[in-house]
Amino acid sequence: MALALPRPHRDDVRIAVGGLLGGVLLWALGLHPRVPSAPVVLCAAHWAPLVPLAVTAACEPLRRTRPRFALLVGTLALTADTVTVGNIATVVLYTDLMYAAVLYGTPASARRIPWITGLLTVLGGVVPAALWRDPAALLIGVGVGVVALAPAATGWVVRDHRDAAETARLRAEQTALLAEMDRVQAVTAERARMARELHDMVANHLSAIAIHSTAALSIDDPRTSRDALTVIRENSVDGLAEMRRLIGILRDSGGGLEPAATPTLDGLATLVEGARTNGLTIRLDADHGQVPAPVELAAYRIVQESLTNALKHAAPGPVRVCLRQAERTLHVQITSPYRRGDGPRAPGSGSGLTGMRERAALLGGDFTAGPVAGLWSVRATLPLTGTEGDRP
C-alpha cells in the first residue's frame, strides 16, 4: 500500500517555485556569494550550486506538513552548498525552512531549535576566533546567527503570539459558552417562576369553578344551581383578571407594572373572603408588620395554594390561617381537616406542594406539609433577612 503524503499548501508550492526560479536566474547571471579559485566554464563545478538549490526548493512544500524532515534535508543541502560557489536563493530558502520548523513543528522542536542555533552561533564565532587568533573569524558566528538563529527566533516569537491568540480565542469561546449557559439557566428559572405564579393565581379559581359546576350538575335545584353559577361566574372573572394582569406584566418591557401587580399580605382578607364564598369556613389570624417584598409574595402564595388544596382535599370543618412575625422570621401555618382515602373533589396538577416548597427554599426558609393529629398542616418559616434580593 502506497504511503499517502499530505497535500502541500499552495503558498508553499509558490515559495518553492519562486525560490528555484530566482536561484536559477542568479546562477545564470553569474551572481555567486563566493568566488571560485579558478575560472570554470560549463563544468561540474559550474553546475554544482544548482543541486543544493533544487533540493532546498523541493523541501519547501514540506515546510508545514514535515517541518523537521524538511529542515534536516535542507541543512544537508546547505552544507553541500558551502563547497560550491553558492547561491543566495539556497540560503534564503533555508532560513525559511528554519523559520517553518519552529513555527509549525512540535512544541519540543520549537523549544530546542532556538537553543541549538544559539549555541551554534556562539561556537561559530568563538571557536574559529580562538583557533585562528583572528577577530575576523567572528564573522562566521555572525553568518550562522543570520542564517539559523534569526529565523528560529522569529519563528518562536510568531508561534508564541499565535498560541496566545489561540488561547484568547478559546477563552472567548468558553466565556461565550458560559454566558449562554447562564442565559439558558436564567430563562429556565424565569419560566419556573412564571409557572408558579400562573399556577397559584389560577388554580384557586379553577378549583372553585370545578367544584361548583359539579354541584350544579348533580343537584336538581334551581336556587342551588343559580348560586353555583354565580360563584362560577365570579371565579371566572377573577381568574381572567389574574391572567390579564400576568400577561400585562410579561408584556411590560420595563417591568414597571410588576410591583403594583404583586400581591401583598394586606390582600389576605380579600383572599380569605373569596375562599369563604367558595364554601370554606376560615379563621384568619395575622399578626405581622412590614416584611420584605419577596417574603410577602411567598407567604401570600403559600396561603393561596393551601386554601386551594383545602378546597379540593379537606374534609368539612374549619380552616385556620395563622401568620406570626418573630424578630427575624415570618411563620406561616395553615391547618385544615384531614380527609383520608377519597380522591380530591377537583382535579389538580399535583405541583402545589412542590411550588410552595420551592418558594420557601428560594428565601432560605423551611417548609413542611403533612397530617398532624387529624389535621392537614402546612408550615413555612421564612427569614426576613438574607433573602436572595428584593425581587418577587
Side-chain angles (χ1 to χ4, degrees):
M1 181 177 179
L3 179 61
L5 293 177
R7 185 176 182 180
H9 195 277
R10 58 184 180 181
D11 291 340
D12 298 340
V13 175
R14 292 170 182 171
I15 293 174
V17 174
L20 180 61
L21 294 179
V24 172
L25 179 61
L26 293 175
W27 171 82
L29 295 175
L31 301 176
H32 308 294
R34 290 179 293 276
V35 179
S37 58
V40 289
V41 180
L42 297 179
C43 64
H46 182 68
W47 293 90
L50 296 182
V51 177
L53 172 65
V55 174
T56 309
C59 293
E60 281 294 335
L62 303 177
R63 64 193 294 273
R64 299 174 193 262
T65 57
R66 297 288 188 272
R68 289 189 298 180
F69 175 78
L71 179 62
L72 176 61
V73 176
T75 302
L76 297 177
L78 183 65
T79 303
D81 183 74
T82 58
V83 300
T84 68
V85 293
N87 195 303
I88 295 297
T90 303
V91 178
V92 173
L93 290 175
Y94 179 78
T95 59
D96 182 68
L97 293 177
M98 180 67 71
Y99 167 81
V102 176
L103 181 60
Y104 301 114
T106 62
S109 298
R111 290 191 301 269
R112 293 170 184 169
I113 291 176
W115 285 102
I116 294 174
T117 55
L119 180 61
L120 292 177
T121 300
V122 174
L123 294 177
V126 174
V127 173
L131 293 177
W132 300 340
R133 303 293 181 176
D134 187 0
L138 293 173
L139 294 177
I140 298 177
V142 175
V144 174
V146 172
V147 175
L149 178 59
T154 303
W156 172 257
V157 172
V158 174
R159 183 182 183 122
D160 185 65
H161 282 78
R162 185 191 65 181
D163 293 344
E166 181 66 15
T167 302
R169 184 186 65 82
L170 294 176
R171 187 181 296 112
E173 291 181 355
Q174 184 179 20
T175 302
L177 179 61
L178 292 176
E180 178 64 17
M181 293 175 61
D182 291 341
R183 187 192 68 82
V184 172
Q185 292 177 357
V187 170
T188 303
E190 184 63 16
R191 286 178 177 175
R193 187 184 75 88
M194 291 165 53
R196 287 195 303 267
E197 293 296 319
L198 183 62
H199 176 274
D200 293 343
M201 287 192 301
V202 179
N204 185 38
H205 300 296
L206 294 184
S207 298
I209 290 173
I211 292 174
H212 285 279
S213 61
T214 301
L217 292 173
S218 59
I219 301 176
D220 189 13
D221 183 4
R223 183 172 181 177
T224 302
S225 299
R226 183 178 180 84
D227 293 341
L229 291 175
T230 300
V231 175
I232 290 173
R233 181 185 181 280
E234 291 176 354
N235 281 276
S236 300
V237 172
D238 292 341
L240 288 174
E242 296 283 359
M243 289 285 292
R244 190 178 298 110
R245 182 170 59 180
L246 178 61
I247 293 173
I249 294 173
L250 296 178
R251 286 180 176 175
D252 179 40
S253 59
L257 294 179
E258 188 167 358
T262 301
T264 63
L265 294 180
D266 294 336
L268 284 180
T270 303
L271 179 65
V272 169
E273 187 62 30
R276 287 171 179 163
T277 304
N278 293 329
L280 292 178
T281 302
I282 305 175
R283 176 185 173 185
L284 175 62
D285 185 7
D287 182 13
H288 60 84
Q290 293 292 330
V291 298
V295 177
E296 195 168 22
L297 175 61
Y300 182 93
R301 293 305 188 195
I302 290 173
V303 173
Q304 184 182 46
E305 181 60 29
S306 298
L307 295 180
T308 301
N309 289 341
L311 181 65
K312 293 190 294 184
H313 300 279
V319 177
R320 183 182 179 187
V321 179
C322 181
L323 280 80
R324 286 286 184 272
Q325 181 176 345
E327 184 176 348
R328 295 186 176 181
T329 307
L330 180 65
H331 299 276
V332 181
Q333 182 178 8
I334 302 95
T335 57
S336 59
Y338 181 51
R339 181 163 59 97
R340 300 175 180 271
D342 297 338
R345 290 175 289 181
S349 63
S351 61
L353 293 179
T354 302
M356 290 188 284
R357 185 174 291 106
E358 289 177 351
R359 288 186 181 277
L362 286 174
L363 299 175
D366 298 324
F367 176 84
T368 57
V372 177
L375 298 175
W376 182 267
S377 176
V378 174
R379 294 174 178 267
T381 302
L382 308 177
L384 301 182
T385 58
T387 59
E388 298 183 2
D390 292 334
R391 57 181 178 81

